[in-house]
Amino acid sequence: MKVKSTGLGKTTLTASFTKLAPDGEPNSMLMAIESSAPVHWKISVTMGGQDVRQILPMVLKPSVMWTFFSMLVRGNAV
């Protein structure tokens, strides 16, 4: 995956998901992302129920579902 941020200027990070699991706290999930180039950073995101309720409608849009399916079948790299 490629990650861009306004704080990075024009720099694009190469990164990958390393974990998605319960956080150990009630009603929270931990998502971990690790960038490998041009810098090595470990990024952790703790998500709660409100975050899941916010992202679920975005993921379930037909255009997003179709793109996910297409990416899964074709295996296109970014």
Side-chain angles (χ1 to χ4, degrees):
M1 112 176 79
K2 293 184 179 183
V3 180
K4 292 183 178 183
S5 169
T6 56
L8 297 172
K10 293 183 179 183
T11 304
T12 300
L13 301 177
T14 301
S16 60
F17 290 106
T18 57
K19 185 177 185 178
L20 179 62
D23 187 29
E25 296 182 22
N27 303 315
S28 67
M29 295 284 289
L30 174 67
M31 178 173 55
I33 302 167
E34 190 168 338
S35 70
S36 55
V39 294
H40 185 240
W41 288 343
K42 292 183 179 180
I43 304 156
S44 297
V45 178
T46 302
M47 298 183 294
Q50 182 177 353
D51 302 312
V52 174
R53 286 187 295 276
Q54 182 180 4
I55 199 170
L56 196 58
M58 294 179 202
V59 172
L60 294 177
K61 285 183 182 178
S63 61
V64 173
M65 294 291 289
W66 175 252
T67 302
F68 278 166
F69 177 73
S70 176
M71 291 166 56
L72 182 65
V73 170
R74 293 189 180 129
N76 295 344
V78 175

